């Protein structure tokens, strides 16, 4: 999966770089809480770096890709236009801050959810 993301980023970067002097790419990994960490890290960069550098497009990426939870972050980031990095990161940070496990998956609503999931349903989790 990571190889596919890196290949896609490389191909897209090559296409963009041919049209301009440089190309900034961001590759985001997966892994649940690691995805929330990535957002916190980017939020810190954007909010604590030199405001002039941020406003000049230092964190406006040309290519963004991710796998698993990183693809959720990728989708959230690319939905915002370049130049609105601060607003975008505040929105994505709030999204992860308010996201709970029960919003993603849950056990079967029965007396013995694990037992019922293993022996009576398609799996332990009711997704």
């Amino acid at each position: 999966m990571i190889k596919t993301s890196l290949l896609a980023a490389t191909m897209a970067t090559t296409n963009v770089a041919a049209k301009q002097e440089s190309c900034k790419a961001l590759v985001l990994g997966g892994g649940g809480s690691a995805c929330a960490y990535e957002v916190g890290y980017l939020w810190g960069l954007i909010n604590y770096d030199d405001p002039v550098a941020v406003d000049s497009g230092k964190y406006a990426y040309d290519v963004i890709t991710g796998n698993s939870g990183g693809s959720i972050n990728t989708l959230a980031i690319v939905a915002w236009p370049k130049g609105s990095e601060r607003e975008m990161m505040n929105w994505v940070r709030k999204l992860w801050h308010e996201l709970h496990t029960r919003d993603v998956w849950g056990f079967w609503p029965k007396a013995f959810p694990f037992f019922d999931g293993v022996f009576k349903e398609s799996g332990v989790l009711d997704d």
Side-chain angles (χ1 to χ4, degrees):
M1 190 68 133
I2 292 174
K3 289 179 183 178
T4 304
S5 293
L6 291 175
L7 177 62
T10 303
M11 290 170 55
T13 302
T14 304
N15 187 27
V16 171
K19 298 175 184 172
Q20 60 191 38
E21 285 186 30
S22 67
C23 178
K24 292 186 229 172
L26 178 64
V27 178
L28 301 168
S33 60
C35 300
Y37 172 83
E38 288 173 341
V39 167
Y41 186 82
L42 289 169
W43 183 90
L45 288 174
I46 289 172
N47 285 283
Y48 292 112
D49 199 353
D50 177 24
V52 174
V54 174
D55 292 339
S56 69
K58 182 175 181 180
Y59 299 104
Y61 296 100
D62 299 307
V63 177
I64 304 173
T65 187
N67 67 328
S68 191
S71 63
I72 295 170
N73 287 339
T74 298
L75 181 62
I77 291 170
V78 301
W80 292 77
K82 285 185 179 183
S84 59
E85 286 76 27
R86 280 196 176 90
E87 296 85 2
M88 175 267 302
M89 285 314 309
N90 286 329
W91 181 80
V92 178
R93 184 199 60 81
K94 183 179 177 195
L95 174 77
W96 277 104
H97 182 73
E98 295 175 354
L99 186 66
H100 298 281
T101 303
R102 67 180 175 272
D103 298 329
V104 179
W105 58 268
F107 289 107
W108 292 99
K110 300 181 180 189
F112 304 101
F114 184 80
F115 177 84
D116 289 334
V118 171
F119 296 106
K120 297 181 180 179
E121 300 294 346
S122 59
V124 176
L125 302 176
D126 178 13
D127 59 353

